[in-house]
Amino acid sequence: MSQRNNPELRKEWERRIALFRASGLTQSKWCEINEISIHKLKYWLYKADIFYST
């Protein structure tokens, strides 16, 4: 299955985004602590905004 249509990956990022938003940390600091690329976080935040705004 491609990553683009992987519901498990989307679910994992929904969880990560919820944790990020609840943390009160900056994107940079949260990514540093969680060892995640800031570019990936920004990408998934963008996808989440589009998904939930429609």
Side-chain angles (χ1 to χ4, degrees):
M1 179 181 299
S2 74
Q3 286 188 346
R4 172 172 278 172
N5 296 319
N6 185 338
E8 293 172 7
L9 182 61
R10 192 185 78 201
K11 197 84 156 162
E12 175 62 22
W13 273 98
E14 287 174 356
R15 184 186 71 79
R16 288 176 179 168
I17 289 169
L19 290 171
F20 161 67
R21 289 184 172 154
S23 74
L25 297 171
T26 64
Q27 290 178 358
S28 178
K29 190 64 174 173
W30 188 88
C31 288
E32 179 184 331
I33 291 168
N34 289 281
E35 299 179 348
I36 294 174
S37 160
I38 193 164
H39 301 289
K40 282 186 183 180
L41 176 62
K42 288 182 178 191
Y43 170 80
W44 282 97
L45 286 169
Y46 173 77
K47 281 187 67 134
D49 287 346
I50 288 175
F51 181 76
Y52 292 112
S53 68
T54 58

